[in-house]
Structure formats: C-alpha cells, structure tokens
Amino acid sequence: MLLPHSSVQATEVSRPGAARVYDYFLGGMHNFAVDRRMADQVLAVAPWVRDVAHANRRFLRRVVEYLVAEAGVRQFLDLGSGIPTVGNVHEIAQRRARDARVVYVDVDPVAVAYSRELLEGDDRTLVVQADLRDAEVVLDRAGELLDLSQPVAVLMVSVLLFVHDDCQPFELVRRYLGPLTSGSYLGISHVTDEHAAGALRAQTEAVTAAYAAAGTPIVARTHEQIAGFFAGLELMEPGVVALDEWRDGPDTGLADPAIAALSLGAVARKPLSAWQASSRAEQA
C-alpha cells in the first residue's frame, strides 16, 4: 500500500479520495487506510460497486484502443484521471502508437504527486494539478504537450458525476470541446440510477450517502441527460449504452443486467465545419 508522499500534506491523506477509493475497488495498491475504510463501507451495502468499477476500466481500455486504432487519434486529455497505474490511458495508447501523447488532469494533490513520480522521465505524458471546472486553465496547460490545432480526445470517464448541476456540467463540456479542432473526440462514462428499483434502489442511495458523507457527493443522471453531454457531436455506434455494451469484446460481461445498466458510456466526434467538409470534397 502507499506510504505518505513527501510532497503531500498530512491533512490530504486524512480523508478519503475518490481516485484512491476507485483504485481500491479495482484491486490496486494506490490507496490509504482511510480510503479502504470508506470503500469497505460502500461494498458492505453494495458489493456490485467493485464490478461496476471494473466495467468502467474495461470501457476506458476499449475507448482508447478504438480512438487510436480506428479513429487515428494520437492526443488524449484525461480529466479526473486519478493515479495512472497499470492499464491507464498512456499505456493503452502507446502500446498501439508509440507517439501517442497524454495529459492527465486531477485536482487531488495526492494523485498528482504519485502520478508525477510514476511518469517521471516520460516526455509523452504530462500531469496537471487543476480543477476540471477550470476548462480554460486546463486547456492552456494541456497545450504545453498537446498540439490543440490537431484532434484531441477528451476523456471524462467517471468524473462528471462529481460535477453538480450548479456548476453547469453541460456548459463545461462545451467549454472543452468548443476550442478544439473538428475531428476531436469526447468519451464519457457516467452513473445512472434511472431504472434502479427495490433493493437495488436502496443500495444506490446508500452509496450516494456514503460519498456525500466523505465530502465527495455524486450525482446520478438519466440516459437523456447523459446523452445531452454529446449535443452537437456525432455519436459513434452504438451510442449511449451500458458500458459493457459499448463495442463489447471477450473481456466484457456483467452478469446482472440491472447492475450493468447503472453506468452508461459513449464516444462522439466533433463534426467537420461546412467549410472543412467542402474543402475535403474538392480535394477528393
């Protein structure tokens, strides 16, 4: 397990961190006792949370592989990235394209400190400590490594659930995609309890209460609301679906459909402008 990092204040490891709790759900070692206590409280009432976390990680892997291999993307902006350990964006992308570049962004100083240590010497990655709600600041910092005149894949994997409605999450997404060139992509996964009923509804409410008590309240949104994040973009098939249904493969498959439906994901592309489309048609 982690030992306190020399650059991190003791107060920063005295309360649970969403990124480290998530790491624990995945079976990782980048978490502290306070994170494990909260995670165990959640698992005691909703043991399926661990399975949903693994489905989220499978979704991330398939999204990055699709964007590199089929869409030709070589630049990634991973918002709310946590600690980029085994199986994260740079590892997946660079396995298929050595020139792929990744900017990781997280507000948690603990996650940032360990991320920088893990990625030290990798000149194709950059770790930025910033609040994802400061889109202009994040994009400015991302420009230190990424060429923002070329397509960028913005990844918001299991992070918008921490952005409440009073922070205008739909506008926030537009602030990221607006300045980026056509041909850029957006990948989102997000929790939903829209169809949870009975005991499952009680469990989802207990999970929400646990996160709120830990100081990191979450917001579940409907399918329609999650689809709204992609307004004005070209949704890639199969659209907004349960995570294991998005371009599923042999690694997928939550057995319980009701639990699988608790987290949705999609990928979309920023469309070509009319001028770009006509220019490409003339060149063809």
Side-chain angles (χ1 to χ4, degrees), residues 96-114:
R96 289 181 171 268
R98 295 294 298 168
D99 59 338
R101 289 172 287 174
V102 180
V103 173
Y104 291 109
V105 180
D106 208 286
V107 71
D108 181 1
V110 179
V112 169
Y114 283 100

Side-chain angles (χ1 to χ4, degrees), residues 203-228:
Q203 291 171 352
T204 60
E205 291 175 351
V207 171
T208 300
Y211 273 90
T216 53
I218 60 177
V219 179
R221 294 187 167 96
T222 67
H223 184 284
E224 182 180 4
Q225 289 172 323
I226 295 169

Side-chain angles (χ1 to χ4, degrees), residues 4 15 36 56 68 103 129 267 277 280:
R15 57 183 182 270
R36 297 190 288 276
N56 200 67
V68 174
V103 173
Q129 182 177 352
V267 173
R280 291 194 176 186

Side-chain angles (χ1 to χ4, degrees), residues 7 34 40 53 60 89 125 140 154 159 261 269:
S7 67
V34 66
D40 286 338
L60 173 66
V89 176
T125 63
D140 183 64
V154 178
V159 68
R269 178 177 58 210

Side-chain angles (χ1 to χ4, degrees), residues 71-77 101 139 146-154 173-186 232-234 268-277 280:
V73 175
R74 295 295 182 268
Q75 303 190 112
F76 294 85
L77 177 59
R101 289 172 287 174
L139 288 172
L146 307 181
D147 179 357
L148 301 185
S149 69
Q150 297 299 312
V152 175
V154 178
V173 171
R174 288 189 286 272
R175 285 163 55 200
Y176 276 103
L177 270 292
L180 298 182
T181 186
S182 299
S184 292
Y185 284 80
L186 173 67
L233 305 178
E234 299 173 348
R269 178 177 58 210
K270 184 174 181 179
L272 296 175
S273 67
W275 180 85
Q276 288 172 310
R280 291 194 176 186

Side-chain angles (χ1 to χ4, degrees), residues 93-149:
Q94 292 170 3
R95 187 185 305 131
R96 289 181 171 268
R98 295 294 298 168
D99 59 338
R101 289 172 287 174
V102 180
V103 173
Y104 291 109
V105 180
D106 208 286
V107 71
D108 181 1
V110 179
V112 169
Y114 283 100
S115 297
R116 287 174 174 165
E117 184 175 279
L118 287 164
L119 297 172
E120 185 176 5
D122 186 344
D123 60 4
R124 293 165 298 168
T125 63
L126 174 68
V127 182
V128 174
Q129 182 177 352
D131 191 319
L132 68 89
R133 293 172 295 183
D134 297 327
E136 292 72 25
V137 172
V138 170
L139 288 172
D140 183 64
R141 291 294 312 278
E144 296 173 14
L145 179 67
L146 307 181
D147 179 357
L148 301 185
S149 69

